[in-house]
Short mmCIF file of all heavy atoms in Angstrom, two decimals:
data_model
loop_
_atom_site.label_atom_id
_atom_site.label_comp_id
_atom_site.label_asym_id
_atom_site.label_seq_id
_atom_site.Cartn_x
_atom_site.Cartn_y
_atom_site.Cartn_z
N GLU A 152 -6.77 87.39 69.74
CA GLU A 152 -5.65 87.00 70.59
C GLU A 152 -4.35 87.53 70.01
O GLU A 152 -4.12 87.44 68.80
CB GLU A 152 -5.57 85.47 70.72
CG GLU A 152 -6.57 84.87 71.68
CD GLU A 152 -8.01 85.14 71.27
OE1 GLU A 152 -8.39 84.79 70.14
OE2 GLU A 152 -8.75 85.74 72.09
N PHE A 153 -3.52 88.07 70.87
CA PHE A 153 -2.19 88.56 70.50
C PHE A 153 -1.17 87.75 71.27
O PHE A 153 -1.27 87.64 72.50
CB PHE A 153 -2.03 90.03 70.88
CG PHE A 153 -2.94 90.98 70.16
CD1 PHE A 153 -4.24 91.17 70.59
CD2 PHE A 153 -2.50 91.68 69.05
CE1 PHE A 153 -5.09 92.04 69.93
CE2 PHE A 153 -3.34 92.55 68.38
CZ PHE A 153 -4.64 92.74 68.82
N VAL A 154 -0.19 87.19 70.58
CA VAL A 154 0.85 86.45 71.28
C VAL A 154 2.17 86.66 70.56
O VAL A 154 2.26 86.56 69.34
CB VAL A 154 0.49 84.95 71.42
CG1 VAL A 154 0.15 84.33 70.10
CG2 VAL A 154 1.59 84.18 72.12
N VAL A 155 3.18 86.99 71.32
CA VAL A 155 4.51 87.22 70.76
C VAL A 155 5.47 86.20 71.35
O VAL A 155 5.37 85.83 72.52
CB VAL A 155 4.99 88.67 71.02
CG1 VAL A 155 5.29 88.91 72.49
CG2 VAL A 155 6.20 89.01 70.16
N GLY A 156 6.36 85.69 70.50
CA GLY A 156 7.33 84.71 70.98
C GLY A 156 8.27 84.28 69.88
O GLY A 156 8.11 84.65 68.70
N ASP A 157 9.28 83.52 70.28
CA ASP A 157 10.22 82.93 69.33
C ASP A 157 9.85 81.45 69.17
O ASP A 157 8.95 81.12 68.43
CB ASP A 157 11.66 83.09 69.84
CG ASP A 157 12.05 84.56 69.97
OD1 ASP A 157 12.27 85.19 68.93
OD2 ASP A 157 12.11 85.05 71.11
N ASP A 158 10.54 80.58 69.92
CA ASP A 158 10.17 79.17 69.92
C ASP A 158 9.11 78.89 70.98
O ASP A 158 8.54 77.82 71.02
CB ASP A 158 11.41 78.31 70.15
CG ASP A 158 12.43 78.51 69.04
OD1 ASP A 158 12.01 78.63 67.88
OD2 ASP A 158 13.63 78.56 69.35
N GLN A 159 8.91 79.83 71.87
CA GLN A 159 7.86 79.69 72.88
C GLN A 159 7.25 81.06 73.16
O GLN A 159 7.81 82.09 72.81
CB GLN A 159 8.42 79.07 74.17
CG GLN A 159 9.56 79.84 74.79
CD GLN A 159 10.16 79.09 75.97
OE1 GLN A 159 9.97 77.91 76.14
NE2 GLN A 159 10.91 79.81 76.79
N VAL A 160 6.11 81.03 73.82
CA VAL A 160 5.37 82.26 74.07
C VAL A 160 6.10 83.14 75.08
O VAL A 160 6.56 82.67 76.11
CB VAL A 160 3.96 81.92 74.60
CG1 VAL A 160 3.23 83.18 75.04
CG2 VAL A 160 3.15 81.20 73.53
N ARG A 161 6.20 84.42 74.74
CA ARG A 161 6.77 85.40 75.67
C ARG A 161 5.69 86.19 76.38
O ARG A 161 5.80 86.50 77.57
CB ARG A 161 7.68 86.37 74.91
CG ARG A 161 9.08 85.89 74.71
CD ARG A 161 9.97 87.12 74.50
NE ARG A 161 10.69 87.06 73.26
CZ ARG A 161 11.12 88.12 72.60
NH1 ARG A 161 10.83 89.34 73.03
NH2 ARG A 161 11.82 87.98 71.49
N ALA A 162 4.67 86.58 75.64
CA ALA A 162 3.58 87.36 76.21
C ALA A 162 2.33 87.15 75.38
O ALA A 162 2.41 86.95 74.16
CB ALA A 162 3.93 88.85 76.24
N ALA A 163 1.17 87.17 76.03
CA ALA A 163 -0.09 86.95 75.32
C ALA A 163 -1.20 87.76 75.97
O ALA A 163 -1.18 88.02 77.18
CB ALA A 163 -0.45 85.47 75.33
N ARG A 164 -2.18 88.15 75.15
CA ARG A 164 -3.33 88.88 75.67
C ARG A 164 -4.52 88.68 74.73
O ARG A 164 -4.35 88.70 73.51
CB ARG A 164 -3.00 90.38 75.77
CG ARG A 164 -4.09 91.24 76.43
CD ARG A 164 -4.21 90.94 77.91
NE ARG A 164 -5.24 91.72 78.57
CZ ARG A 164 -5.00 92.83 79.29
NH1 ARG A 164 -3.76 93.29 79.40
NH2 ARG A 164 -5.98 93.45 79.90
N SER A 165 -5.68 88.48 75.30
CA SER A 165 -6.91 88.40 74.52
C SER A 165 -7.74 89.64 74.82
O SER A 165 -7.89 90.03 75.97
CB SER A 165 -7.69 87.15 74.91
OG SER A 165 -8.93 87.10 74.23
#
Side-chain angles (χ1 to χ4, degrees):
E152 282 62 56
F153 296 82
V154 53
V155 69
D157 298 286
D158 299 321
Q159 58 186 18
V160 173
R161 275 203 237 154
R164 185 69 181 261
S165 176

